[in-house]
Amino acid sequence: MTWRWPTPSGLPPLPLVGSVLALLAALALTAPVVEVDFVRLIGSLGRMAEFTGQMFVTPDWAYVPQLLDKMLETIEMTVLGTAIAIAVSLPLGVLAASNATPHPAVYRVTRDLLSLMRALPELVWALVFVSAVGLGPLPGVMALAFVTVGFMGKFFAEAIEVVDNKAVEGVRAHGAGWLQVRLFAMLPQALPDFVGTVMYILDHNLRAAAILGLVGAGGIGYDLVMSMRLFQYDRLLLIALSIYLVVTLLDRLSDQLRSRIIHGRRA
């Protein structure tokens, strides 16, 4: 039995065909604007395959101690920057939630502040903080924390905005004050989303911290860039593998934490 489109003729609907053709035409017309040469792009696939093949070399085991030291610094930057961001973004998230903010003006100002903080990537803020406080992990932590507050504050606010209002009304009916309603009715309901957001941000910040060394903000980034520039594939393989392993461990930890919190609430 052959598969058919759910239309009377069994053919793709004309609006879908027209949309796809229009998209392809737009891409073809705008390709010269962004200097995309499809013939050159196809030819570069061979060079990409050659580059990938060069990655499979005997690792530079003598580099492992230095790699562990730099990866530890990267992880410390990630954890510290995220911890600072949690402490700052949680109250900002409450103020930026439409159902938890004390006043609409506070809601709008907080939302705009969070948008400003996440408007530029970590690398740009790292350049700013390196210029302000000098080289080292400190500007990297400051850049990660600053941008993360913008994202986490928004995520926290959206998690609070979708909580069940019945629990909120029940706590308020028992005479709870403004702060008590937020602490004991809203935040517990949003806790699973908070955990998921924090673990996602940790994942993101680890990858961001891995390139902040490019501008002198600490971490494994400097070694990563230099290994690519000097074609040190034996080191590049170890760096890429170490980042992958740490990100995978964070992903497994996130799944376990969310599962325990969700099952704990159901119990």
Side-chain angles (χ1 to χ4, degrees):
M1 180 178 179
T2 58
W3 186 85
R4 290 168 52 89
W5 285 87
T7 57
S9 63
L11 299 176
L14 289 179
L16 176 61
V17 175
S19 300
V20 173
L21 292 177
L23 177 61
L24 293 176
L27 291 176
L29 291 174
T30 57
V33 178
V34 292
E35 299 181 358
V36 174
D37 186 346
F38 290 103
V39 176
R40 183 180 178 184
L41 180 62
I42 296 174
S44 64
L45 295 178
R47 292 192 296 272
M48 188 64 190
E50 180 182 355
F51 173 81
T52 304
Q54 292 175 345
M55 291 285 292
F56 296 95
V57 296
T58 302
D60 181 10
W61 300 115
Y63 172 67
V64 171
Q66 181 180 346
L67 171 65
L68 294 177
D69 182 61
K70 289 296 184 179
M71 277 305 301
L72 179 60
E73 183 177 88
T74 302
I75 295 173
E76 289 175 344
M77 290 170 54
T78 301
V79 174
L80 183 56
T82 306
I84 295 173
I86 292 174
V88 177
S89 60
L90 190 55
L92 289 179
V94 173
L95 297 178
S98 59
N99 60 338
T101 188
H103 193 276
V106 176
Y107 165 81
R108 178 47 54 196
V109 170
T110 308
R111 283 278 183 167
D112 292 342
L113 175 62
L114 295 175
S115 298
L116 173 64
M117 299 179 78
R118 64 176 184 271
L120 298 177
E122 292 88 353
L123 198 60
V124 176
W125 286 113
L127 282 169
V128 174
F129 290 126
V130 164
S131 301
V133 302
L135 300 174
L138 178 59
V141 172
M142 294 171 67
L144 287 174
F146 191 84
V147 177
T148 301
V149 168
F151 281 101
M152 292 186 71
K154 182 177 185 295
F155 291 153
F156 287 173
E158 292 177 350
I160 294 172
E161 287 178 341
V162 297
V163 300
D164 186 2
N165 196 50
K166 293 180 181 179
V168 176
E169 293 298 330
V171 173
R172 185 177 289 122
H174 284 78
W178 184 89
L179 183 60
Q180 291 172 318
V181 169
R182 274 104 189 123
L183 289 178
F184 300 110
M186 293 183 173
L187 295 185
Q189 293 187 71
L191 183 60
D193 290 334
F194 285 179
V195 174
T197 298
V198 169
M199 299 310 295
Y200 169 77
I201 291 294
L202 274 172
D203 182 306
H204 172 270
N205 283 352
L206 178 66
R207 289 179 280 113
I211 63 170
L212 291 183
L214 177 63
V215 295
I220 195 65
Y222 180 78
D223 287 15
L224 175 63
V225 173
M226 291 306 299
S227 296
M228 295 183 68
R229 289 179 177 176
L230 299 177
F231 304 104
Q232 295 175 326
Y233 299 108
D234 51 353
R235 292 190 174 188
L236 187 59
L237 176 63
L238 289 174
I239 294 173
L241 182 60
S242 63
I243 295 175
Y244 165 76
L245 290 176
V246 175
V247 170
T248 302
L249 289 174
L250 282 176
D251 184 59
R252 300 293 184 270
L253 179 61
S254 173
D255 292 340
Q256 292 183 4
L257 286 176
R258 283 181 59 85
S259 177
R260 290 185 178 182
I261 290 174
I262 293 174
H263 290 313
R265 289 183 62 190
R266 290 176 178 175

